[in-house]
Amino acid sequence: MRVINCIFVTFSICLLSSCSLPNSASSPATDAVNSQSSALTSLSDAYSNYFDIGAALNRTQTSGQDPQSIAIVDKHFNTLTPENDMKWESIQPIEGQFTFEGADALVQYAKKTNKSVIGHALVWHEQTPSWVFEDDQGNEASRELLIARMKSQIFALAGRYKNDIKGWDVVNEALNEDGTMRESKWQQIIGDEFIELAFTFAAQAAPKAELYYNDYNLYNAAKMDGAITLAKRLKAKGIRIDGIGEQGHYGITPPLDELELSIQKVASLGLKMMITELDISVLKFPEGENMGADISLNFELQDDYNPYAKGISAESNNKLAQAYSDLFALFLRYEKEIDRVTFWGVSDNNTWRNNWPMKGRTDYPLPFDRSYQAKPFVRTLIKQAQL
Ligand code: XIL
């Protein structure tokens, strides 16, 4: 069994991977890597000539209650994104009541450790309280009211961190898979122009920050064409946009060829490309492995979809290593076009993938395992950068 599995992966990965079954937390191979972990180079140092390497942090981490994650972040990542703490529901849950504690904690930690911060996200249809879209009678807000609220949120949030944040996901997930505009409350009430308004307010509130459009499945040609159309529309009106972020929530077979074409498209427009929320699920999904990241989807937990509750198989572990290696090989080929690669989390015990789109699964999508140990492929990724 072991030998057969190893035949199907590259020699280097097999050498560095766990070929034992199961591998719930740390395997002998993981331990071997980590027993020399002080010798393990930092991921962001290894890639420093090419692009930034980041992670999304949650409140437990930024408030100091998860020192093991912070030890990883200190060493391996040079750019940080708040996983939830700068979303509208975190910043202004009730109209006029701003709560910046979580966001401040992340910015303070980044300053102390000399890491850059990416703001996420100014305008999104998710994790935005319903009051935003309603007037004080509970009816749908008028266009003017919604624009005024968008402006005050952007000025309060992007303005507060105008000297601290390197770039903002200004608009998140405004497109359908076919590249047309999603009919979100923003789009329905304001019209397509909500995009122009969001980027204009962000440029005014944080003139030094880079401004990005961010979405999932932008490897899909039709969807990327929609994003390119948006960017061209902004540019034609003299409104600044600096980059496009592909979230990068993939399944075990990332869409490498399509992704390559999409990177080329962004580059041809003179925009920066970033992979903003990278994780690779080893699980199967009700709508196929690269089903995107619509957070409103919620399927009932079925054992059939949760095969590795007690430990990942060696075969899946090897496929995961191969998928990461292939992706980073692609990123390295396009290192001039790619500005940043951010993982959506630090270790497997704290990833949103354990709960989306089914609550309570056990997934293994990140470079660090449930015992906060670097998986063997981390060393492979580091070696790839050093070739
Ligand atoms: C996710 C967070 O990771 C979860 O903790 C939260 O419950 C839901 O949102 N696309 C995005 C991210 O842009 O903000 C989402 O983050 C994942 C999909």
Side-chain angles (χ1 to χ4, degrees):
M1 177 76 179
R2 286 178 181 196
V3 175
I4 292 168
N5 281 333
C6 289
I7 288 170
F8 290 99
V9 295
T10 63
F11 179 64
S12 62
I13 286 172
C14 189
L15 267 182
L16 293 163
S17 295
S18 160
C19 290
S20 60
L21 237 176
N23 177 22
S24 57
S26 62
S27 64
T30 312
D31 292 339
V33 167
N34 286 289
S35 64
Q36 314 152 23
S37 67
S38 55
L40 187 67
T41 314
S42 140
L43 261 173
S44 56
D45 284 355
Y47 280 83
S48 61
N49 288 335
Y50 305 120
F51 39 77
D52 285 345
I53 304 267
L57 298 194
N58 62 31
R59 181 77 67 98
T60 313
Q61 290 153 349
T62 54
S63 64
Q65 295 168 65
D66 183 1
Q68 287 166 295
S69 287
I70 290 299
I72 293 172
V73 176
D74 279 344
K75 175 165 177 174
H76 288 285
F77 303 112
N78 56 13
T79 170
L80 310 175
T81 306
E83 184 176 2
N84 289 300
D85 280 335
M86 288 186 192
K87 292 173 181 172
W88 198 309
E89 68 178 14
S90 303
I91 293 296
Q92 197 186 175
I94 297 169
E95 184 161 25
Q97 292 186 18
F98 290 86
T99 52
F100 291 109
E101 286 82 359
D104 281 354
L106 181 125
V107 169
Q108 289 310 322
Y109 166 61
K111 270 190 191 163
K112 204 175 71 190
T113 51
N114 204 21
K115 300 179 194 295
S116 61
V117 177
I118 302 299
H120 173 82
L122 292 173
V123 175
W124 190 20
H125 58 283
E126 296 287 359
Q127 294 182 280
T128 302
S130 51
W131 67 259
V132 174
F133 305 106
E134 291 167 5
D135 65 15
D136 50 14
Q137 315 296 317
N139 298 319
E140 187 167 276
S142 67
R143 186 173 191 272
E144 292 64 37
L145 180 59
L146 189 55
I147 292 174
R149 283 178 176 156
M150 180 202 279
K151 183 173 183 180
S152 81
Q153 173 80 0
I154 292 179
F155 273 75
L157 178 53
R160 182 179 182 89
Y161 303 114
K162 65 171 183 251
N163 296 318
D164 306 313
I165 285 198
K166 180 181 177 191
W168 271 101
D169 292 337
V170 177
V171 175
N172 199 29
E173 301 179 2
L175 295 168
N176 295 316
E177 293 306 291
D178 66 0
T180 57
M181 293 292 293
R182 181 195 288 275
E183 288 176 11
S184 66
K185 289 272 181 206
W186 292 109
Q187 194 272 346
Q188 284 171 344
I189 299 174
I190 300 180
D192 292 356
E193 201 201 351
F194 88 87
I195 306 274
E196 278 88 337
L197 290 164
F199 277 84
T200 302
F201 295 148
Q204 291 166 350
K208 290 186 280 187
E210 294 180 352
L211 307 178
Y212 317 128
Y213 175 72
N214 193 55
D215 213 326
Y216 58 83
N217 286 3
L218 288 179
Y219 60 84
N220 168 351
K223 197 165 188 178
M224 180 54 96
D225 287 344
I228 301 276
T229 303
L230 283 186
K232 284 186 176 159
R233 218 171 78 198
L234 291 172
K235 286 184 163 212
K237 293 180 182 165
I239 302 169
R240 184 162 63 84
I241 173 168
D242 301 290
I244 294 189
E246 148 72 343
Q247 292 181 5
H249 297 294
Y250 300 128
I252 199 72
T253 324
L256 295 169
D257 295 343
E258 290 141 287
L259 187 57
E260 177 162 11
L261 291 176
S262 72
I263 297 170
Q264 291 168 355
K265 275 186 195 166
V266 175
S268 70
L269 217 68
L271 290 175
K272 294 183 177 183
M273 173 88 185
M274 42 276 292
I275 309 297
T276 56
E277 305 181 13
L278 182 61
D279 49 23
I280 300 179
S281 175
V282 302
L283 301 177
K284 67 172 182 175
F285 288 83
E287 295 178 3
E289 68 168 69
N290 287 314
M291 68 178 271
D294 177 348
I295 70 161
S296 68
L297 293 176
N298 187 4
F299 296 86
E300 206 178 312
L301 179 63
Q302 295 168 50
D303 288 348
D304 192 30
Y305 283 89
N306 191 26
Y308 304 134
K310 295 209 172 76
I312 185 173
S313 71
E315 187 185 1
S316 283
N317 225 3
N318 288 333
K319 279 189 182 158
L320 180 71
Q322 185 70 56
Y324 265 116
S325 173
D326 290 346
L327 264 182
F328 273 76
L330 173 65
F331 299 157
L332 280 168
R333 280 208 305 286
Y334 287 89
E335 51 92 5
K336 294 213 160 43
E337 288 73 27
I338 291 176
D339 202 54
R340 167 171 58 94
V341 176
T342 293
F343 293 94
W344 205 241
V346 177
S347 65
D348 287 344
N349 47 333
N350 277 318
T351 161
W352 78 300
R353 291 292 209 154
N354 291 326
N355 294 307
W356 181 90
M358 246 176 230
K359 284 205 173 63
R361 295 203 293 176
T362 305
D363 206 346
Y364 300 78
L366 292 168
F368 295 87
D369 70 18
R370 285 179 165 70
S371 305
Y372 302 94
Q373 304 298 306
K375 295 181 186 176
F377 71 74
V378 172
R379 185 154 286 183
T380 310
L381 300 185
I382 289 168
K383 283 197 171 151
Q384 281 176 247
Q386 291 167 339
L387 287 177

